């Protein structure tokens, strides 16, 4: 099974610099990029030239015979294209690209992306790098795309809030409300207990806890995504604790490396006074 994206060569680009850009959201090597573009000479790139970016590397694209998610829970989901499979019994799935709003929307339109999503389908904006950073402009673009009907084929909007400018609480709230008004569900995921690269992370998290338009809040219980167990570390520089999650209006559905880690997460969070409603599998 294969899948690809398109990258348009810009001034100063080399295969190495392109791979470094792509690696902020999708694993890729120079040799894989070269193999995907056999007719192009790496030392003769032209501005405006289109390069194929393969997503079928290192097992990123899920297989055709996916295992079912277990244990059973109200919410059982996965992150595409990072999950090793696309379980047919998933109640939700999240498509994550990790770039700016317009690139995410164009990528999300691809039939091969949507065909790998099961259950309620979410398109995710934001991410863990500068490529997906939330700014006032980015949030305005997302909200405009939602209200103008540019996002089709999805049941929900996911906001991967890890890197963002400060003082965006009102803009996030407006975007969540707009999404709900347009019939979308809203999922917010954060790096561990709070966004790791947001100056006013505590204030932002407190606004998330009380926001009535967030359906699912998904703290990420991993850093690299290959951990052998859940990582319950609190976000550095934040006073938010796991006990604070008990006050949220949203369902708490942590993102975990593998579904088999869910039972341990339930026990841990119950000891913090927090009831979980399911999980999202990363790998």
């Amino acid at each position: 099974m294969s899948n690809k994206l398109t990258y348009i060569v810009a001034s100063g680009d080399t295969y190495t610099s392109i791979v470094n850009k792509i690696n902020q959201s999708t694993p890729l090597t120079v040799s894989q990029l070269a193999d995907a573009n056999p007719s192009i000479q790496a030392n003769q790139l032209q501005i405006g030239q289109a390069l194929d970016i393969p997503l079928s590397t290192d097992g990123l694209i899920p297989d055709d015979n996916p295992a079912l998610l277990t244990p059973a829970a109200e919410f059982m989901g996965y992150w595409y294209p990072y999950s090793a499979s696309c379980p047919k019994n998933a109640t939700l799935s999240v498509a994550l690209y990790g770039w700016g709003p317009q690139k995410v929307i164009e990528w999300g339109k691809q039939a091969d992306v949507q065909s790998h999503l099961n259950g309620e389908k979410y398109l995710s904006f934001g991410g863990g790098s500068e490529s997906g950073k939330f700014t006032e402009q980015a949030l305005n673009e997302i909200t405009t795309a939602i209200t103008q009907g540019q996002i089709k084929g999805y049941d929900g909007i996911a906001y991967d809030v890890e890197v963002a400018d400060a003082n965006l609480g009102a803009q996030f709230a407006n975007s969540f409300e707009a999404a709900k008004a347009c019939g979308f569900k809203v999922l917010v995921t954060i790096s561990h207990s709070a966004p790791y690269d947001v100056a006013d992370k505590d204030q932002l998290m407190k606004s998330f806890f009380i926001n009535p338009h967030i359906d699912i809040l998904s703290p990420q219980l991993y850093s690299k995504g290959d951990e052998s167990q859940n990582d319950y570390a609190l976000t550095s520089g934040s006073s938010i604790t796991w006990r604070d999650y008990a006050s949220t209006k949203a369902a708490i559905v942590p993102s975990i490396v593998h579904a088999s880690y869910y039972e341990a997460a339930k026990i841990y969070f119950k000891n913090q006074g927090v009831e979980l409603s399911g999980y999202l599998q990363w790998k």
Side-chain angles (χ1 to χ4, degrees):
M1 184 180 299
S2 65
N3 189 16
K4 63 183 180 181
L5 305 174
T6 300
Y7 177 88
I8 304 301
V9 176
S11 177
D13 272 343
T14 65
Y15 268 18
T16 298
S17 68
I18 292 169
V19 166
N20 287 338
K21 292 178 185 178
I22 299 299
N23 270 329
Q24 296 181 46
S25 60
T26 301
L28 181 70
T29 67
V30 170
S31 62
Q32 289 165 344
L33 179 60
D35 289 345
N37 299 275
S39 64
I40 295 177
Q41 297 295 318
N43 61 350
Q44 296 180 9
L45 294 179
Q46 302 293 319
I47 296 174
Q49 196 169 30
L51 298 179
D52 288 335
I53 306 299
L55 281 181
S56 56
T57 59
D58 297 330
L60 277 177
I61 296 301
D63 58 48
D64 290 317
N65 298 294
L68 298 181
L69 285 172
T70 183
E74 179 182 356
F75 296 99
M76 302 183 297
Y78 60 91
W79 291 92
Y80 172 82
Y82 297 92
S83 176
S85 64
C86 298
K88 296 298 184 183
N89 67 332
T91 63
L92 75 157
S93 51
V94 187
L96 172 65
Y97 188 31
W99 288 77
Q102 294 307 314
K103 288 186 177 181
V104 169
I105 291 169
E106 290 305 311
W107 175 75
K109 290 179 180 178
Q110 297 182 45
D112 200 41
V113 173
Q114 296 194 19
S115 68
H116 285 102
L117 304 178
N118 294 316
E120 293 186 327
K121 302 176 181 181
Y122 286 74
L123 182 62
S124 181
F125 294 91
S129 70
E130 287 293 317
S131 299
K133 181 178 181 178
F134 282 107
T135 62
E136 183 174 0
Q137 178 181 341
L139 275 169
N140 287 339
E141 289 180 12
I142 294 167
T143 304
T144 298
I146 291 170
T147 57
Q148 292 186 353
Q150 297 177 28
I151 302 174
K152 301 181 184 299
Y154 289 89
D155 305 293
I157 307 297
Y159 298 77
D160 185 355
V161 188
E162 302 182 56
V163 183
D165 286 339
N167 303 313
L168 291 179
Q171 284 78 12
F172 273 113
N174 289 339
S175 192
F176 300 159
E177 184 174 5
K180 294 291 288 187
C182 291
F184 290 106
K185 293 187 176 180
V186 172
L187 182 154
V188 175
T189 183
I190 54 272
S191 40
H192 290 280
S193 54
Y196 79 91
D197 192 5
V198 179
D200 58 345
K201 55 177 67 74
D202 287 3
Q203 181 179 343
L204 187 61
M205 282 305 302
K206 290 174 182 178
S207 73
F208 289 167
F209 289 150
I210 64 174
N211 191 293
H213 301 298
I214 299 175
D215 297 289
I216 296 174
L217 191 59
S218 182
Q220 299 160 17
L221 303 185
Y222 50 77
S223 296
K224 295 182 178 180
D226 60 359
E227 287 83 349
S228 60
Q229 60 185 359
N230 294 320
D231 182 354
Y232 303 109
L234 299 175
T235 298
S236 177
S238 171
S239 65
I240 299 296
T241 70
W242 295 123
R243 289 187 178 277
D244 293 324
Y245 277 68
S247 66
T248 186
K249 295 179 178 294
I252 306 299
V253 181
S255 290
I256 54 182
V257 173
H258 192 269
S260 60
Y261 301 178
Y262 180 55
E263 292 297 340
K266 284 174 61 179
I267 294 171
Y268 180 87
F269 275 89
K270 187 172 184 178
N271 288 335
Q272 306 298 313
V274 178
E275 293 293 330
L276 301 184
S277 298
Y279 55 89
L280 280 166
Q281 177 173 273
W282 177 249
K283 289 292 188 181

